[in-house]
Amino acid sequence: MRITYPKAIQESEEDLKQWEQQLRGQKAADRVRVLRLLKSGTVKSLKDCAPMVGYSVSQLTRWWERYRADGLAGMLKRQKPAGKTSKLSPEAWAGLLQAMRAGHIATMQDARNYLEREWGISYKNGKSLWWLFKKHRVKWKTGRRRHKKANAAQQAAFKKTSLAC
């Protein structure tokens, strides 16, 4: 049985265009774009629409089923991804950042030891803690490399005697 999309979609093409502009830059805009293309008759089926929006036919089918069941509001509602909650509480994260800023933590192992000692949060390997740093967009800051034969006293004397340009 073929679906007549322009009749099945209740919203007008203008409403869908306004929603698409409001949601520009979000993933929900693609969902509204699918509805708009189907409503306007630019595409006749989800199969034709999939390459235009850059998603698979099965993904568009899921979106269409959600639209049919819950309407536009249900289709635009954000789904929380299923998964485990983090062991790291916001207070523990703030404490970790404060310790890092104070210079007490230099390595991933130091961070693991701090969390275990101060907050009772244990991670069995550094990969999971590394993932948290990546998620929070924290980058490790390191100093410049020093040559093993560098003499700090000679470098300081050079800086004092060199001419500033």
Side-chain angles (χ1 to χ4, degrees), residues 146-147 149-162:
R146 300 282 182 215
H147 193 276
K149 294 182 180 177
N151 187 339
Q154 286 179 341
Q155 288 177 353
F158 177 76
K159 287 179 185 175
K160 289 180 184 176
T161 59
S162 64

Side-chain angles (χ1 to χ4, degrees), residues 48-114:
D48 297 338
C49 191
M52 291 184 77
V53 293
Y55 288 92
S56 67
V57 177
S58 58
Q59 181 64 51
L60 267 58
T61 306
R62 283 194 292 270
W63 289 350
W64 177 251
E65 291 301 321
R66 192 176 321 155
Y67 175 76
R68 282 182 48 196
D70 302 327
L72 184 62
M75 188 177 177
L76 298 180
K77 189 170 72 170
R78 288 189 180 190
Q79 303 271 336
K80 284 193 173 186
K84 225 176 174 182
T85 57
S86 177
K87 294 180 187 179
L88 196 61
S89 67
E91 296 83 21
W93 178 252
L96 179 63
L97 287 178
Q98 189 176 14
M100 287 172 60
R101 287 187 185 112
H104 302 299
I105 296 174
T107 64
M108 196 67 73
Q109 185 62 41
D110 291 343
R112 283 178 58 205
N113 292 341
Y114 169 81

Side-chain angles (χ1 to χ4, degrees), residues 116-127:
E116 177 101 38
R117 184 179 62 249
E118 299 293 325
W119 297 93
I121 300 171
S122 63
Y123 289 99
K124 58 182 165 183
N125 59 27
K127 189 76 170 178

